[in-house]
Amino acid sequence: MRKTFEAIDRHVDGDSAYVPVRPEAVGCSDSIPEIEVEELSAIDRHVRRIDPDVVAYNHRFRIDEVEFHEEYPLVHVRHGASVGRGEIDVTAASAGHAIDVALAPGDRWANRYETDLPADAEVSVVGIPEADDLVAADPPREKRVLYAPTNHNYGGGSYLNTAHDVLDAVEGTDYELLFRPHPMDRKEEPGKSLTEECRGRIAEMPNVAFDENETPKASMLESDVLISDYSGIVSEWLHTERPLVQFADIAAEDNEVPEIGCVTTGAEFDADLLDALYERGYSETVAEREASFRETLGIPMDGRAGERAAAEVTACAQ
């Protein structure tokens, strides 16, 4: 989750630092100073010891177990702007009572925040800071494809249903595939076993690489086409204006994949579809649909989201 904080912090005019709340967060950032703590779970004690002017929070982790938000302004920044997983409802229900300022990726989120969050919470549309560097970046034109579905256990994504289909489709072609399972599907079952199966196949496929980039930004900058579903990476990818393939065969029975790009299933996906998208882009119908969906999302894609978010955070400190 550091990608969000790092994209904002570079625009913060003042002292800043992060407090790790999980073992994986210790030493995770080279650009933001870390507050060393002995007991990761003592979040309230750490915040009070630091005595900050404002706290930025980009998840709902243990929000029901802490009280620091009663003493310090809390700015909520989204971690991942997914487009069909009900995350807005979860944020409002679990963290709404603690939020002083909610930074929304776009109008779609802001409208719901204004309806669902407490009346005294301020809402500001800032964009997606971690996508700023994708704006106006030239496509590599290297026939490189990124496969990055949302996670199975928490997002009910398409990974279990489509991973082998994607490998089948690119095998023996001149496309280079970056295979990027969600981090949770690398360490939790049932995704973990599938990931290991695919690693074994990838070791024998010269045109496929298991994507080890710590955050997806570099992978997106290097890719011409994204294959996903309704993951938050889709909202970031829209900043590139490059083709998107969406798998509709997700695991969650109570969710739907909003049709944005080229919508298909794992069984129907093949290299011919990649050829069409790489060589000619979207059909007129799909291009119009994507443009309409962009307007509905209302995400400002001008490369200045980090600046706007930083301004909102620092305003709370004044």
Side-chain angles (χ1 to χ4, degrees):
M1 298 179 187
R2 75 167 196 258
K3 64 179 185 178
T4 309
F5 287 128
E6 289 179 341
I8 296 172
D9 187 71
R10 62 185 179 180
H11 301 289
V12 171
D13 184 14
D15 294 332
S16 62
Y18 81 93
V19 178
V21 296
R22 293 182 179 179
E24 297 89 342
V26 175
C28 74
S29 179
D30 294 327
S31 62
I32 307 177
E34 177 180 328
I35 301 295
E36 295 186 5
V37 299
E38 294 183 357
E39 185 180 355
L40 295 175
S41 61
I43 300 174
D44 280 331
R45 187 168 76 236
H46 302 325
V47 172
R48 291 177 179 129
R49 176 169 61 89
I50 299 165
D51 193 27
D53 293 314
V54 59
V55 178
Y57 217 72
N58 78 333
H59 202 259
R60 57 186 183 277
F61 180 69
R62 294 184 57 193
I63 194 66
D64 57 336
E65 301 176 23
V66 297
E67 299 177 350
F68 70 82
H69 52 80
E70 298 177 4
E71 305 167 44
Y72 301 94
L74 187 146
V75 178
H76 183 272
V77 190
R78 289 208 66 81
H79 165 64
S82 55
V83 292
R85 288 175 40 189
E87 278 295 291
I88 302 177
D89 296 334
V90 173
T91 297
S94 62
H97 67 285
I99 296 174
D100 293 295
V101 178
L103 304 185
D107 295 335
R108 173 183 182 272
W109 294 266
N111 293 338
R112 289 294 303 279
Y113 284 165
E114 290 172 350
T115 299
D116 296 346
L117 292 179
D120 59 350
E122 297 182 17
V123 178
S124 178
V125 174
V126 297
I128 303 177
E130 55 266 41
D132 281 348
D133 291 341
L134 302 176
V135 177
D138 293 330
R141 300 302 296 171
E142 296 286 348
K143 303 192 77 170
R144 190 174 298 115
V145 180
L146 172 63
Y147 171 59
T150 198
N151 61 79
H152 177 78
N153 286 344
Y154 307 100
S158 63
Y159 183 49
L160 267 61
N161 296 326
T162 62
H164 281 297
D165 291 324
V166 171
L167 294 178
D168 290 342
V170 302
E171 187 171 16
T173 70
D174 56 355
Y175 286 99
E176 178 185 346
L177 177 70
L178 298 178
F179 189 91
R180 187 181 182 86
H182 189 278
M184 301 309 294
D185 284 324
R186 306 181 194 196
K187 61 184 181 180
E188 291 186 357
E189 296 292 357
K192 180 180 178 180
S193 294
L194 175 59
T195 299
E196 292 309 308
E197 288 178 18
C198 292
R199 278 187 184 272
R201 287 192 64 183
I202 290 169
E204 304 298 325
M205 300 176 68
N207 64 324
V208 181
F210 194 93
D211 187 4
E212 300 287 3
N213 284 321
E214 293 184 349
T215 67
K217 183 176 70 174
S219 307
M220 287 189 279
L221 287 169
E222 296 170 359
S223 301
D224 297 295
V225 178
L226 171 68
I227 306 170
S228 189
D229 37 46
Y230 56 4
S231 169
I233 199 172
V234 168
S235 297
E236 296 179 46
W237 180 259
L238 290 175
H239 292 68
T240 70
E241 300 186 350
R242 303 172 198 170
L244 164 68
V245 175
Q246 290 178 280
F247 285 136
D249 37 1
I250 56 175
E253 297 180 355
D254 54 346
N255 290 338
E256 293 183 0
V257 174
E259 296 188 352
I260 306 171
C262 182
V263 182
T264 187
T265 64
E268 296 172 337
F269 177 72
D270 58 22
D272 289 339
L273 176 58
L274 285 178
D275 287 339
L277 290 173
Y278 182 78
E279 295 169 7
R280 298 183 294 278
Y282 290 142
S283 67
E284 183 176 349
T285 300
V286 174
E288 291 176 353
R289 183 175 70 203
E290 192 218 53
S292 176
F293 199 85
R294 282 172 178 267
E295 185 174 354
T296 300
L297 293 178
I299 301 173
M301 300 184 186
D302 57 1
R304 300 184 61 189
E307 295 178 35
R308 285 187 290 269
E312 293 290 343
V313 171
T314 54
C316 291
Q318 298 175 358

